[in-house]
Amino acid sequence: MDLKITTLAGKDAGKLKLSEEIFGLDPREDILARVVRWQLAKKQQGTHKTKGRAEIARTGAKMYKQKGTGRARHHSARAPQFRGGGKAHGPVVRSHEHDLPKKVRALGLKHALSAKAKSESIIIVDELTMKDAKTKVLVANFEKLGLSNALVIGGAELDQNFKRAATNIPNIDVLPIQGINVYDILRRGTLVLSKAAVEALEERFK
């Protein structure tokens, strides 16, 4: 699979052959869904908490005598049916993480990249560098490339000027190649890869 390389200014910079094993697969939604669910579960804080009846600061004395009142038999006012009582089966602090095999995670990344390639939503840029950290200049460059909602993946080290300029642009995410992930690829409309990022991906999946 051949894709043309462009510069940030929108000029032609040759062509690049992409690996069919990474960018040419038939995307499987079930694998993508599994990886996204795994990512979001790992991200979830799990700090939700309510107090059970054992944690309520209230007397444990019997509310009223057992017999003779004509009312139901109750003991503690901390029981869930009373106002101010503990919550029955409420949420507790826990981790939502679950395991997903490394091979499935790697396959999910390949399928996400292939999905973008299949929908022609990948742009290869030769270098993600700027002389000055000017957001206005970068916005103009992105307009030439037709980018309004994109994930930009650079090499192992991001150019600081480019990173600073892109920080204030809405719907544009910038990550180094180590941070590439299925969820961010799928949540943005276009995937922008630098030449260094493509080389790193092909090296990673050798």
Side-chain angles (χ1 to χ4, degrees):
M1 180 191 296
D2 290 330
L3 274 185
K4 72 172 188 176
I5 305 170
T6 182
T7 63
L8 266 181
K11 295 177 182 176
D12 191 17
K15 284 191 173 183
L16 184 66
K17 188 174 180 63
L18 299 180
S19 169
E20 290 288 337
E21 291 179 6
I22 303 172
F23 296 91
L25 301 177
D26 193 20
R28 277 181 53 182
E29 288 184 8
D30 59 324
I31 291 176
L32 294 175
R34 280 180 71 186
V35 178
V36 168
R37 181 173 168 269
W38 171 78
Q39 270 190 254
L40 294 181
K42 199 173 181 183
K43 208 173 169 185
Q44 197 168 339
Q45 283 186 316
T47 52
H48 42 9
K49 175 81 173 72
T50 56
K51 287 186 177 182
R53 63 185 292 170
E55 299 165 301
I56 296 293
R58 217 171 187 189
T59 178
K62 189 167 174 66
M63 297 176 71
Y64 45 77
K65 65 181 184 176
Q66 178 85 345
K67 306 180 75 66
T69 64
R71 299 175 67 185
R73 296 169 291 185
H74 290 300
H75 175 238
S76 170
R78 293 184 296 217
Q81 66 265 37
F82 298 115
R83 179 180 296 219
K87 180 78 174 172
H89 312 297
V92 293
V93 175
R94 69 185 182 91
S95 170
H96 291 266
E97 284 187 48
H98 58 270
D99 289 333
L100 191 67
K102 278 185 180 179
K103 286 184 179 179
V104 177
R105 278 143 47 188
L107 195 59
L109 185 53
K110 287 181 184 178
H111 279 261
L113 293 167
S114 296
K116 287 297 179 188
K118 193 173 184 181
S119 62
E120 297 181 354
S121 302
I122 286 185
I123 293 175
I124 309 293
V125 177
D126 61 345
E127 284 184 338
L128 298 172
T129 55
M130 294 184 72
K131 288 181 182 177
D132 300 304
K134 299 284 185 184
T135 300
K136 192 175 181 181
V137 175
L138 190 56
V139 168
N141 287 338
F142 281 168
E143 282 176 0
K144 288 177 190 173
L145 296 171
L147 299 176
S148 58
N149 186 307
L151 172 66
V152 183
I153 304 291
E157 295 291 332
L158 289 174
D159 179 64
Q160 289 303 308
N161 287 339
F162 179 86
K163 189 179 176 182
R164 287 193 187 107
T167 301
N168 296 326
I169 306 175
N171 301 322
I172 299 290
D173 296 331
V174 179
L175 292 172
I177 188 61
Q178 303 93 311
I180 192 169
N181 64 87
V182 173
Y183 177 66
D184 281 330
I185 290 172
L186 297 180
R187 72 191 283 262
R188 293 296 177 206
T190 309
L191 177 63
V192 180
L193 296 170
S194 69
K195 272 178 70 178
V198 174
E199 288 165 8
L201 279 170
E202 294 186 349
E203 183 67 30
R204 176 174 170 179
F205 290 120
K206 260 187 181 178

